[in-house]
């Protein structure tokens, strides 16, 4: 070994009373001991589960929860049948609401009342009714809905463009296009279905509605008895204020008297060809009647004596509470419109329809 090399120095410390462990090691050992003790305490303090009774305990808990739910659920005061009938009354009432909207026709006469969906809302104590309605202009279906109080069976809310009837009438929609008139009874005069065609001649759609008459007669033949009922209303009065009331009433008289002849269909076709929602003079009506091959002497006699008959028809319209025209009464107790008169006849006598 070179003389300049130095031997390595080894430091030897004496063994103390902790076996050579310093303070850090001792602290770690104490911490581990504490953690082991805590785990032992926690494990022995857990509640014991007896597995043999687990199934019965679970069943008992479910039974208690179901019992509590039943106690909180209040059975509705009214049945679905009662709510359904009230909903049908709401639908029919829209025929008598004076609103400038097609909804006043669509809802009462184009609702699928046999497909109304009802649901009860226990938290609100209300029924929710959803009604499918046909839009005849597009042949598509839309939906209207109502909330009905279960407590007294009254209308809570209508979801129809904020249009809601102030009072629900006793009329009831019993089928698509058919409304039952309260307090009226079916006709029993003969085997044919009586159809009363009420019209203010100058009311929008009245003259055009006459085209449905030959269609019904072609469909049902002698099984229907259609009679035109003239009702002079605000539209004829409006024309009369300009052209004279007597002149304005001639349109109604010609229609009424022509309807009593076999060539009435010809008169309907020719009248519709020339009518443009404006006043028609007596001379023009005479020409249409003559061109339609009507018996002119019979026609003139009828026109001269038509005032008394029309006055009686006005009383009949009042009896049925006809406020808008054209309106159709089928079998003396069902209200409909010309577009759904077919449905009215079929509802009255299903054997006539396939």
């Amino acid at each position: 070994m070179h003389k300049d090399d130095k031997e390595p120095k080894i430091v030897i410390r004496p063994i103390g009373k902790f076996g050579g462990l310093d303070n850090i090691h001792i602290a770690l050992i104490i911490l581990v001991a504490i953690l082991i003790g805590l785990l032992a305490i926690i494990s022995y303090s857990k509640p014991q589960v007896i597995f043999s009774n687990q199934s019965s305990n679970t069943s008992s808990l479910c039974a208690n929860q179901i019992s509590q739910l039943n106690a909180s659920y209040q059975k509705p005061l009214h049945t679905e049948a009662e709510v359904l009938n009230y909903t049908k009354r709401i639908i029919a009432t829209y025929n008598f609401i004076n609103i400038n909207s097609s909804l006043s026709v669509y809802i009462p006469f184009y609702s699928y009342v046999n497909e109304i969906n009802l649901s009860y809302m226990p938290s609100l104590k209300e029924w929710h009714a959803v009604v499918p309605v046909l839009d005849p202009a597009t042949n598509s279906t839309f939906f209207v809905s109502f909330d009905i109080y279960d407590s007294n069976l009254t209308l809570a809310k209508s979801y129809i463009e904020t249009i809601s009837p102030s009072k629900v009438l006793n009329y009831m929609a019993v089928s698509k296009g058919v409304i039952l008139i309260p307090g009226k009874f079916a006709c029993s005069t003969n085997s044919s279905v009586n159809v009363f065609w009420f019209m203010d001649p100058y009311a929008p759609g009245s003259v055009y509605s006459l085209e449905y008459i030959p269609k019904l007669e072609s469909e049902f033949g002698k099984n229907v008895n259609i009679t035109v009922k003239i009702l002079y209303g605000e539209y004829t009065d409006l024309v009369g204020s300009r052209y004279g009331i007597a002149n304005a009433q001639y349109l109604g008289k010609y229609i009424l008297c022509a309807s009593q002849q076999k060539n009435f269909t010809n008169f309907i076709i020719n009248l519709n060809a020339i009518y443009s929602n404006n006043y028609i003079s007596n001379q023009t009506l005479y020409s249409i009647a003559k061109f339609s091959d009507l018996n002119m002497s019979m026609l003139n006699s009828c026109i001269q004596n038509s005032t008394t008959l029309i006055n009686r028809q006005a009383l009949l319209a009042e009896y049925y509470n006809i406020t808008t025209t054209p309106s159709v009464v089928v079998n003396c107790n069902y209200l409909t419109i010309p577009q759904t008169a077919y449905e009215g006849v079929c509802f009255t006598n299903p054997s006539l329809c396939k």
Side-chain angles (χ1 to χ4, degrees):
M1 182 178 292
H2 196 277
K3 64 180 179 178
D4 292 331
D5 293 340
K6 297 181 180 180
E7 293 182 2
K9 297 179 179 180
I10 299 174
V11 179
I12 300 175
R13 294 181 180 179
I15 298 175
K17 62 180 179 179
F18 295 109
L21 298 176
D22 58 16
N23 293 335
I24 295 176
H25 288 86
I26 294 171
L28 290 173
I29 293 172
I30 295 173
L31 180 60
V32 170
I34 294 173
L35 291 175
I36 294 173
L38 288 174
L39 289 174
I41 294 172
I42 292 173
S43 63
Y44 282 104
S45 63
K46 283 186 177 180
Q48 300 299 313
V49 178
I50 302 175
F51 291 98
S52 60
N53 293 333
Q54 183 178 11
S55 177
S56 60
N57 289 340
T58 303
S59 300
S60 178
L61 177 60
C62 291
N64 290 336
Q65 290 176 341
I66 294 173
S67 178
Q68 292 174 1
L69 288 173
N70 289 337
S72 63
Y73 178 80
Q74 293 185 353
K75 185 179 179 181
L77 298 176
H78 295 88
T79 64
E80 281 196 9
E82 292 172 329
V83 179
L84 180 60
N85 285 339
Y86 184 76
T87 304
K88 291 178 179 180
R89 286 174 53 194
I90 297 174
I91 293 170
T93 299
Y94 274 85
N95 180 61
F96 302 92
I97 299 179
N98 187 20
I99 55 177
N100 187 21
S101 171
S102 58
L103 292 176
S104 62
V105 175
Y106 291 175
I107 294 173
F109 295 108
Y110 288 95
S111 291
Y112 293 102
V113 296
N114 294 329
E115 300 178 20
I116 297 175
N117 182 270
L118 298 175
S119 58
Y120 181 61
M121 301 176 288
S123 59
L124 298 176
K125 297 181 180 179
E126 294 177 0
W127 291 85
H128 186 67
V130 179
V131 185
V133 183
L134 173 69
D135 182 349
T138 61
N139 202 32
S140 60
T141 302
F142 63 96
F143 297 86
V144 298
S145 57
F146 312 97
D147 286 343
I148 300 169
Y149 290 121
D150 180 55
S151 58
N152 54 6
L153 211 59
T154 56
L155 180 62
K157 185 177 181 181
S158 170
Y159 295 89
I160 308 176
E161 297 183 359
T162 68
I163 302 171
S164 180
S166 57
K167 181 182 179 181
V168 176
L169 305 179
N170 287 327
Y171 292 81
M172 181 182 293
V174 292
S175 184
K176 176 179 171 291
V178 186
I179 294 176
L180 176 64
I181 306 175
K184 305 301 184 286
F185 303 95
C187 303
S188 58
T189 54
N190 50 52
S191 59
S192 299
V193 177
N194 284 299
V195 179
F196 301 154
W197 210 274
F198 291 95
M199 57 181 293
D200 177 350
Y202 282 103
S206 282
V207 169
Y208 298 125
S209 77
L210 294 173
E211 293 183 347
Y212 287 96
I213 293 179
K215 293 179 181 179
L216 289 172
E217 290 176 335
S218 175
E219 180 71 26
F220 298 110
K222 294 182 179 180
N223 290 312
V224 294
N225 179 29
I226 304 174
T227 55
V228 175
K229 311 292 184 183
I230 299 300
L231 175 63
Y232 292 133
E234 57 179 319
Y235 294 97
T236 294
D237 292 343
L238 182 61
V239 173
S241 66
R242 182 175 180 181
Y243 297 97
I245 191 64
N247 292 328
Q249 290 180 351
Y250 269 116
L251 177 57
K253 292 180 179 181
Y254 269 88
I255 292 174
L256 173 65
C257 294
S259 69
Q260 299 176 10
Q261 297 195 27
K262 64 180 181 179
N263 287 333
F264 182 44
T265 298
N266 294 341
F267 181 82
I268 291 174
I269 295 173
N270 294 326
L271 177 62
N272 271 282
I274 199 172
Y275 184 69
S276 59
N277 296 306
N278 294 311
Y279 168 70
I280 299 183
S281 67
N282 181 24
Q283 291 77 10
T284 301
L285 290 168
Y286 182 86
S287 299
I288 294 173
K290 193 170 183 179
F291 186 75
S292 301
D293 292 329
L294 296 183
N295 186 318
M296 298 307 294
S297 60
M298 183 184 299
L299 181 72
N300 291 332
S301 176
C302 175
I303 291 174
Q304 292 175 4
N305 297 283
S306 61
T307 301
T308 301
L309 179 58
I310 291 175
N311 288 340
R312 289 202 300 264
Q313 292 177 350
L315 293 176
L316 185 64
E318 184 177 349
Y319 173 75
Y320 285 113
N321 193 28
I322 303 297
T323 56
T324 59
T325 66
S327 291
V328 180
V329 174
V330 179
N331 201 38
C332 300
N333 64 337
Y334 294 115
L335 177 66
T336 184
I337 55 177
Q339 295 88 332
T340 59
Y342 178 90
E343 284 83 351
V345 174
C346 290
F347 184 81
T348 298
N349 189 349
S351 65
L352 298 178
C353 307
K354 296 180 181 179

